[in-house]
Amino acid sequence: MTYCVAIKLNAGLVFLSDSRTNAGLDQISTFRKMIVYEKPDDRFMVLLSAGNLSISQSIREILQVEKLKDHEEDAEAITIWNAKSMFDATRVLGSAIRHVYERDAAALKQAGVDFNVSLIFGGQIKGEGMRLFQVYSAGNFIEATPETPYFQVGESKYGKPVLDRVITPNTPLDEAAKCALVSMDSTLKSNLSVGLPLDMVVYEANQFQTDKVVCIDEHNPYFKMMHSSWGVKLREVFDSIEDPTWDDGKTDVPLMQPTGRNLPLKKITSPKEKLI
Amino acid sequence: MTYCVAIKLNAGLVFLSDSRTNAGLDQISTFRKMIVYEKPDDRFMVLLSAGNLSISQSIREILQVEKLKDHEEDAEAITIWNAKSMFDATRVLGSAIRHVYERDAAALKQAGVDFNVSLIFGGQIKGEGMRLFQVYSAGNFIEATPETPYFQVGESKYGKPVLDRVITPNTPLDEAAKCALVSMDSTLKSNLSVGLPLDMVVYEANQFQTDKVVCIDEHNPYFKMMHSSWGVKLREVFDSIEDPTWDDGKTDVPLMQPTGRNLPLKKITSPKEKLI
């Protein structure tokens, strides 16, 4: 499987992806799932992909040459390299997905394989603000908003709680990068189909380029520190919360309540007893 | 959906279940998913269920009268009320599942509904130690061991990391109860199809009965305290970990590595550039 996350903040964008690809537990490989498109002073875009690797690799290849014509009279077709907005660039990506679908979906279906791909595409094109999209296998897409400033694709559940607790549009860039790494760390711990190395890119608003591009493996000093600190401190928090006590007299926060709308379960004490 | 968790410790057993049942987002009800079977000084058993409610209710009803005959010459058929071991009692449960399957599965299939049920069944029968089983929809089952001392059914991913970090066979009973509640709290936060009230039962080894049975709703003082403390303290831990810095000179734990086997991603800077 895969885990990718992208966060849109007022200060910039954070992208993080793992690199494990598996076709069954006995066929594990490393494929990087992030591509950075950068034309300094003009546009900066990042594509993250989850799902069938043959589909996402084809999409990435086709995206480089994909052209979209809105009207016959348009002089120039739209590509990701000349699109005037991230919305248009994402439409080009949707069109690339549909081209791969036309080419491969029927044969995949015959082989019993779904046309399964999920993409995150975000960045900034000169003339507008940063934008972040999640793109589905039908080529349709949704955009991140201040209420939901992040997208995840792949194995998203383990790493979602910390994002929900921390991320708002006002979160500083480095704090959001830390949050993405904690989210990834929880996922790595619980799911074997997500694995190192990680690719991380942090983009600062209105720069149209970045040098904050890093590949994080098991020797990365920061990731090692964060991984061990998080585990130890989480345990300290757990220990610092009072255990439940069953004797109401001994605590301000009894687990047993004297009364309430919801009564404790009735016990079944013999084969003859009715359940309800 | 549902979230149920059961933990087997040297000191006893902990069972926790939510009570939300949904057939689509617009049809939400409260059904309790735990049943306690208790014959003081002889046996104590708890059944937790996830999956199709019509199936699990039928299983619970049939289980009360289900009989298993190993050999024709056996004088007495085995029921959950006379079984000499939890293994045999769980076989009776498996048999009850198969009876419901024979009765309903074909008609469910015609209606496009899977025969979907997952059960956790645990307890103690006089003459042997405590045992804990996860029972599948085919009536087969697996038993918890010291290496894997807990089972979850339903929406298990959000609540798994804390169980993996805390639970061992030596964990004290009240601490394990706290851990189950934290695990449930994470699940409630992330998944609307899991909801209050909760049913919790804590059983102390070799007692063959318990009075630690509680129904926890939104007014429960302990659950409210734990819910808010966990959120606040988790955030404090997050804040206490250093943010990543991109300038190696400023920290002992740089995120950027000068060298390494895995190089940072090459950027794509024009339509003509090759991807690999």
Side-chain angles (χ1 to χ4, degrees):
Chain A
M1 207 143 160
T2 288
Y3 178 48
C4 299
V5 55
I7 307 170
K8 185 188 154 198
L9 309 151
N10 297 333
L13 296 161
V14 173
F15 299 90
L16 180 66
S17 60
D18 84 314
S19 61
R20 183 154 295 172
T21 303
N22 72 306
L25 275 173
D26 55 351
Q27 202 178 342
I28 301 245
S29 323
T30 299
F31 283 95
R32 297 169 79 176
K33 300 159 189 176
M34 182 184 288
I35 292 212
V36 180
Y37 303 92
E38 182 183 286
K39 197 167 150 192
D41 205 35
D42 177 65
R43 66 193 59 221
F44 177 86
M45 301 174 293
V46 175
L47 177 63
L48 304 174
S49 53
N52 185 301
L53 184 66
S54 76
I55 297 172
S56 58
Q57 284 195 343
S58 291
I59 290 167
R60 285 149 52 151
E61 190 82 17
I62 288 177
L63 183 60
Q64 273 286 69
V65 294
E66 183 73 11
K67 291 179 169 66
L68 204 65
K69 257 198 180 312
D70 274 346
H71 306 288
E72 285 306 320
E73 62 270 26
D74 277 2
E76 195 185 20
I78 306 170
T79 73
I80 58 164
W81 292 104
N82 69 14
K84 293 202 167 52
S85 69
M86 278 301 296
F87 184 85
D88 277 354
T90 309
R91 285 173 55 220
V92 177
L93 174 58
S95 171
I97 296 171
R98 287 166 188 168
H99 274 157
V100 178
Y101 184 89
E102 281 160 26
R103 193 190 71 186
D104 287 351
L108 288 172
K109 193 173 181 183
Q110 280 188 328
V113 178
D114 284 338
F115 189 84
N116 165 29
V117 69
S118 299
L119 303 162
I120 296 176
F121 190 51
Q124 189 174 16
I125 292 174
K126 206 149 198 174
E128 66 166 15
M130 299 170 298
R131 299 177 76 171
L132 179 65
F133 296 90
Q134 175 161 0
V135 189
Y136 300 101
S137 56
N140 58 330
F141 49 83
I142 58 173
E143 182 170 4
T145 62
E147 297 75 32
T148 304
Y150 71 85
F151 287 131
Q152 304 170 291
V153 292
E155 182 54 272
S156 60
K157 291 188 178 182
Y158 302 110
K160 189 170 185 292
V162 72
L163 294 168
D164 286 334
R165 287 185 197 274
V166 171
I167 298 297
T168 74
N170 296 321
T171 308
L173 262 183
D174 287 338
E175 187 173 318
K178 177 172 71 170
C179 184
L181 289 170
V182 169
S183 171
M184 179 64 80
D185 185 50
S186 302
T187 311
L188 289 167
K189 188 170 170 62
S190 295
N191 194 308
L192 281 181
S193 72
V194 176
L196 297 172
L198 314 175
D199 284 306
M200 175 169 247
V201 166
V202 173
Y203 170 78
E204 203 178 317
N206 308 319
Q207 298 305 304
F208 305 101
Q209 63 184 54
T210 190
D211 53 5
K212 295 182 176 174
V213 180
V214 63
C215 182
I216 298 168
D217 62 19
E218 66 276 24
H219 306 300
N220 185 283
Y222 181 80
F223 193 70
K224 274 163 67 181
M225 178 281 291
M226 190 221 64
H227 172 80
S228 65
S229 301
W230 185 252
V232 169
K233 291 185 177 179
L234 215 58
R235 182 58 205 240
E236 286 170 9
V237 166
F238 181 81
D239 291 340
S240 77
I241 295 177
E242 188 178 323
D243 285 345
T245 48
W246 297 86
D247 178 354
D248 290 3
K250 289 189 186 162
T251 174
D252 294 337
V253 285
L255 182 63
M256 286 289 235
Q257 279 187 290
T259 59
R261 196 176 75 87
N262 297 290
L263 297 173
L265 286 172
K266 195 164 84 67
K267 294 174 184 170
I268 309 297
T269 57
S270 78
K272 280 163 202 141
E273 198 149 352
K274 283 275 188 192
L275 293 177
I276 292 172
Chain B
M1 208 146 159
T2 288
Y3 178 49
C4 300
V5 54
I7 306 169
K8 185 188 156 196
L9 310 151
N10 296 334
L13 296 161
V14 174
F15 300 90
L16 179 66
S17 59
D18 85 313
S19 61
R20 183 154 295 171
T21 302
N22 72 306
L25 276 172
D26 56 350
Q27 202 177 342
I28 301 247
S29 322
T30 299
F31 284 95
R32 297 169 79 175
K33 300 160 190 176
M34 183 185 287
I35 292 212
V36 180
Y37 303 92
E38 182 181 285
K39 198 167 147 191
D41 206 35
D42 176 65
R43 65 193 58 221
F44 177 86
M45 301 174 293
V46 175
L47 178 63
L48 304 175
S49 53
N52 185 302
L53 184 66
S54 77
I55 297 173
S56 59
Q57 285 195 343
S58 291
I59 290 167
R60 285 149 53 150
E61 190 83 18
I62 288 177
L63 183 60
Q64 274 285 69
V65 294
E66 183 72 12
K67 290 180 170 66
L68 204 64
K69 257 197 179 314
D70 275 344
H71 305 288
E72 284 305 322
E73 62 269 27
D74 277 3
E76 197 186 18
I78 305 170
T79 73
I80 58 163
W81 292 104
N82 69 15
K84 294 202 166 52
S85 70
M86 278 302 296
F87 184 85
D88 276 354
T90 309
R91 285 173 56 221
V92 177
L93 174 58
S95 171
I97 296 171
R98 288 165 188 169
H99 275 159
V100 178
Y101 184 90
E102 281 160 26
R103 194 191 70 186
D104 287 351
L108 288 172
K109 194 172 180 183
Q110 280 189 328
V113 178
D114 284 339
F115 189 85
N116 165 29
V117 68
S118 298
L119 303 162
I120 297 176
F121 190 50
Q124 188 175 18
I125 292 175
K126 205 149 199 176
E128 65 167 14
M130 300 170 297
R131 300 177 77 171
L132 180 65
F133 297 89
Q134 175 161 1
V135 189
Y136 300 101
S137 56
N140 57 329
F141 49 82
I142 58 173
E143 182 169 4
T145 62
E147 296 76 31
T148 303
Y150 70 85
F151 286 131
Q152 302 170 290
V153 292
E155 183 53 272
S156 61
K157 291 187 179 183
Y158 302 109
K160 188 170 185 293
V162 71
L163 295 168
D164 286 334
R165 287 185 198 271
V166 170
I167 299 296
T168 74
N170 296 322
T171 307
L173 261 182
D174 286 338
E175 187 174 319
K178 177 173 69 169
C179 185
L181 288 170
V182 169
S183 171
M184 178 64 80
D185 185 49
S186 302
T187 311
L188 290 168
K189 186 169 172 62
S190 296
N191 194 308
L192 281 180
S193 71
V194 175
L196 298 171
L198 314 175
D199 284 305
M200 176 171 246
V201 166
V202 173
Y203 170 77
E204 203 178 317
N206 308 319
Q207 297 305 304
F208 305 100
Q209 63 184 57
T210 190
D211 53 5
K212 295 181 175 175
V213 180
V214 63
C215 182
I216 298 168
D217 62 21
E218 66 277 24
H219 306 299
N220 186 283
Y222 181 79
F223 193 71
K224 273 163 66 181
M225 178 281 292
M226 189 221 63
H227 171 80
S228 64
S229 302
W230 185 251
V232 169
K233 291 186 177 181
L234 215 57
R235 182 58 207 238
E236 285 170 8
V237 166
F238 181 81
D239 290 339
S240 77
I241 295 177
E242 189 179 321
D243 284 345
T245 49
W246 297 85
D247 179 356
D248 289 5
K250 288 189 186 159
T251 173
D252 294 338
V253 284
L255 182 62
M256 286 289 235
Q257 279 187 292
T259 59
R261 197 176 76 86
N262 297 289
L263 297 172
L265 286 173
K266 194 166 84 66
K267 293 173 186 173
I268 309 297
T269 57
S270 79
K272 279 163 203 143
E273 199 149 355
K274 284 273 189 193
L275 292 177
I276 291 171

